[in-house]
Amino acid sequence: MMQDDRIAALATPLGESALAVIRTSGEGTLQALSRGFSRPGTLQEAPGNTIIYGWLQYDESRRVDEVTVAVFRAPRSYTGEESAEIYCHGSIPGIQKIMELLFTLGFRQAEPGEFSLRAFINGKMDLTRAEAVHEIVRSQSRKAQSLALNRLSGRVFEEIDRVKSRLVDIMAAVSVQLDYPDDELPGEDDDSGYVRSLIPMDTVQDAVSGLERLVSSYRSGRLYQQGARVALAGQTNAGKSSMFNLFLKEDRSIVSNIHGTTRDYIQAPVVLDGIPLSLYDTAGLREVDEIIEKEGIRRSGQVIENSSVILYLVDGTNSDKSAHAFDEKQLERIGELNLPCVKIWTKTDLPQCAPAPKGFLPLSMISGEGFDRVQQAMMEALLQGERLAGDGDLVIDSLRQKQLIDDALDGLQQALTSMEGDQPLDIIAMDLQRSIRSLGEITGEVSSEDILDRVFSGFCVGK
Ligand SMILES: Nc1nc2c(ncn2[C@@H]2O[C@H](COP(=O)(O)OP(=O)(O)OP(=O)(O)O)[C@@H](O)[C@H]2O)c(=O)[nH]1
Ligand SMILES: [Mg+2]
């Protein structure tokens, strides 16, 4: 991507709408745009943060659209460059005509994420904030959006920066000592008390716990942003479709007392505690010869294997021994696949229902009794020991950030081990330096084309 030319892109979805926004940026944007504008002088002279009304046109006889143009002067714009946002009518052919006009005026189509890349390069935001912009756009639930807003406001940056600056202070002292080993202080192979005075253990320990907190927030960050796949599984008539409907609060999947009612699996989205879930009702598991039901069971098996958590339902009124053996076999398989699973004992409202065995949660689809506990258990299974984040919590959602924090942690732990093993100062210094570098990569202070490409190429065009 070049940085010294002018770019343009539609920033809103391409479709019919009252308004659409086309974003432009780059040095000379207003000058270039004014050549296709009904009031060139006004546009060229407009101060930053103002809005100018007029027509986009090739000339008076070839008008393209009636628009307003928001004017931004460098560095007070999203990208930090001179830029303009064109508010036009949201018609697909109209937008296409405007883009064609812009190309003849010397703009080129922006690459995905190019506006944000320029913002980063011009020092308008660090990489964690740029990633947050993308995460906000992508958020599927209100909670995910709130958490991404926290990141946009710079909280990841601040936390990383806090840890990093303490390590940099330590490294500064260490470097002096490595450069001038003969100064009054004892040499490097002296007692470990001296190394510890240069590198305070509790500061390193504190950095470790700060970073560990961030890493552990990743699982719940992921859940909020990407959601999870939940499969309802079990034998025919166990109550899967009834439970599916209970989740959706609507009569969506066919429920009947005929075994094998559900054949094709059914998927529906549902948001629970701010986590977007993809819920699957599957075909009841049983031995069959009938070819269509068999295929339904096979496909359901794939859904089950690819889910993040399985809710396995067992009909509590079924006293048939072979049915229990069948369930045990299925649960064993799920266990072998290492999939989180919540076991549910259904139809507890019926008098013939046996008490729930150990490890099963009792549930009645009729009264809804036990449903809260089941949902809670499902969340626990998804979070695997992490707690759910509150709105104000700092939660990371970028795999890139998580991996770099892991690298930084690795360096710090290595440094701590070396200190305990009375290793020479330069060895410990290398580990600290590695951590500092990884932390710098998170915010983009240390960056390469490769890293930037990875971060910004996933963005949408116009961001
Ligand atoms: N009393 C009572 N009846 C239930 C309960 N759950 C399900 N049922 C009934 O059990 C029967 C089977 O329920 P479904 O939800 O269709 O069962 P399924 O697991 O989807 O069955 P298949 O689609 O055949 O695999 C229906 O008649 C439901 O009304 C429950 O908790 N209490
Ligand atoms: Mg069903």
Side-chain angles (χ1 to χ4, degrees):
M1 293 187 211
M2 294 187 352
Q3 262 91 57
D4 49 3
D5 55 352
R6 288 182 293 276
I7 53 174
L10 179 67
T12 46
L14 183 63
E16 264 177 49
S17 56
L19 287 177
V21 180
I22 292 170
R23 206 175 216 178
T24 62
S25 185
E27 210 186 310
T29 283
L30 296 170
Q31 174 74 32
L33 196 57
S34 70
R35 290 200 305 275
F37 195 63
S38 59
R39 301 164 66 207
T42 315
L43 187 58
Q44 279 176 37
E45 280 145 34
N49 305 330
T50 55
I51 292 186
I52 309 296
Y53 163 83
W55 287 80
L56 285 179
Q57 57 185 38
Y58 288 91
D59 54 53
E60 294 246 323
S61 62
R62 286 187 299 159
R63 292 191 149 171
V64 176
D65 197 7
E66 183 190 31
V67 300
T68 50
V69 179
V71 173
F72 302 95
R73 299 272 177 190
R76 298 185 62 196
S77 70
Y78 180 74
T79 55
E81 305 169 331
E82 183 176 307
S83 43
E85 281 172 16
I86 301 167
Y87 305 106
C88 59
H89 295 106
S91 94
I92 298 175
I95 290 164
Q96 284 165 345
K97 277 160 82 179
I98 296 177
M99 290 306 292
E100 281 161 22
L101 171 66
L102 291 174
F103 297 150
T104 63
L105 295 173
F107 290 88
R108 72 166 163 82
Q109 174 67 50
E111 304 285 334
E114 196 168 3
F115 291 94
S116 301
L117 172 66
R118 289 185 174 200
F120 167 72
I121 288 171
N122 294 323
K124 298 294 281 190
M125 52 171 124
D126 74 293
L127 280 189
T128 66
R129 287 186 184 88
E131 282 174 309
V133 169
H134 181 47
E135 288 154 9
I136 287 173
V137 175
R138 267 190 349 196
S139 29
Q140 300 290 319
S141 72
R142 301 164 70 106
K143 186 69 160 276
Q145 192 261 3
S146 305
L147 293 173
L149 274 182
N150 288 340
R151 296 189 285 273
L152 182 67
S153 67
R155 295 210 10 225
V156 176
F157 174 80
E158 283 160 17
E159 179 64 12
I160 297 291
D161 203 50
R162 183 186 71 84
V163 172
K164 202 186 86 204
S165 64
R166 298 177 118 189
L167 297 179
V168 168
D169 287 346
I170 294 177
M171 259 319 282
V174 169
S175 308
V176 169
Q177 187 51 34
L178 287 174
D179 290 346
Y180 305 101
D182 298 333
D183 280 7
E184 291 147 40
L185 293 162
E188 63 185 32
D189 39 26
D190 259 86
D191 70 295
S192 60
Y194 142 73
V195 171
R196 280 171 207 201
S197 71
L198 268 180
I199 308 175
M201 279 267 206
D202 51 345
T203 310
V204 180
Q205 204 63 61
D206 177 64
V208 168
S209 18
L211 295 179
E212 274 173 350
R213 262 197 308 278
L214 276 179
V215 167
S216 71
S217 75
Y218 177 72
R219 188 185 295 281
S220 81
R222 270 290 83 165
L223 266 185
Y224 283 116
Q225 196 60 267
Q226 295 208 321
R229 296 159 64 100
V230 179
L232 302 174
Q235 292 188 48
T236 53
N237 256 14
K240 300 176 295 298
S241 301
S242 308
M243 190 169 184
F244 188 73
N245 294 343
L246 197 59
F247 264 111
L248 299 182
K249 301 190 184 77
E250 68 174 290
D251 192 11
R252 172 70 208 283
S253 185
I254 302 174
V255 168
S256 88
N257 61 3
I258 299 168
H259 286 263
T261 302
T262 310
R263 292 181 160 199
D264 275 332
Y265 63 83
I266 307 175
Q267 184 271 343
V270 51
V271 174
L272 202 70
D273 286 344
I275 297 178
L277 299 177
S278 210
L279 199 62
Y280 289 87
D281 182 18
T282 64
L285 304 166
R286 63 169 171 173
E287 305 289 351
V288 278
D289 295 323
E290 202 268 314
I291 183 159
I292 297 180
E293 186 174 351
K294 214 180 166 93
E295 177 60 13
I297 294 175
R298 189 189 69 78
R299 293 183 188 193
S300 293
Q302 288 179 332
V303 167
I304 293 168
E305 285 179 17
N306 288 314
S307 60
S308 337
V309 63
I310 295 164
L311 306 184
Y312 193 92
L313 281 65
V314 174
D315 181 346
T317 64
N318 188 347
S319 51
D320 181 19
K321 284 245 162 50
S322 66
H324 287 304
F326 184 88
D327 282 327
E328 260 167 41
K329 225 175 71 196
Q330 297 297 332
L331 286 166
E332 222 169 81
R333 256 201 66 219
I334 292 170
E336 280 162 13
L337 291 170
N338 235 335
L339 290 166
C341 178
V342 177
K343 296 186 281 185
I344 301 163
W345 195 251
T346 67
K347 310 194 187 180
T348 52
D349 55 283
L350 294 174
Q352 68 269 37
C353 183
K358 199 165 168 286
F360 280 81
L361 297 174
L363 175 64
S364 164
M365 313 297 171
I366 306 292
S367 68
E369 199 179 334
F371 193 48
D372 283 349
R373 181 69 197 92
V374 165
Q375 294 184 57
Q376 200 188 327
M378 181 180 83
M379 284 302 175
E380 282 163 12
L382 281 174
L383 286 162
Q384 295 177 13
E386 303 302 336
R387 64 177 190 89
L388 268 184
D391 265 352
D393 282 355
L394 185 54
V395 166
I396 58 165
D397 172 48
S398 144
L399 179 61
R400 186 191 75 89
Q401 289 173 19
K402 181 198 176 276
Q403 286 171 339
L404 287 167
I405 297 175
D406 278 337
D407 287 349
L409 269 172
D410 192 57
L412 292 184
Q413 261 134 9
Q414 193 62 51
L416 284 173
T417 314
S418 301
M419 281 169 78
E420 270 153 22
D422 291 331
Q423 295 286 324
L425 192 57
D426 52 350
I427 300 278
I428 304 170
M430 264 164 52
D431 291 324
L432 287 179
Q433 199 59 56
R434 183 153 65 92
S435 290
I436 292 174
R437 197 188 144 79
S438 300
L439 296 177
E441 265 188 52
I442 294 175
T443 57
E445 198 178 315
V446 181
S447 67
S448 66
E449 210 167 305
D450 191 42
I451 296 172
L452 297 182
D453 211 46
R454 199 143 43 98
V455 171
F456 290 99
S457 60
F459 279 43
C460 39
V461 176
K463 245 301 149 216

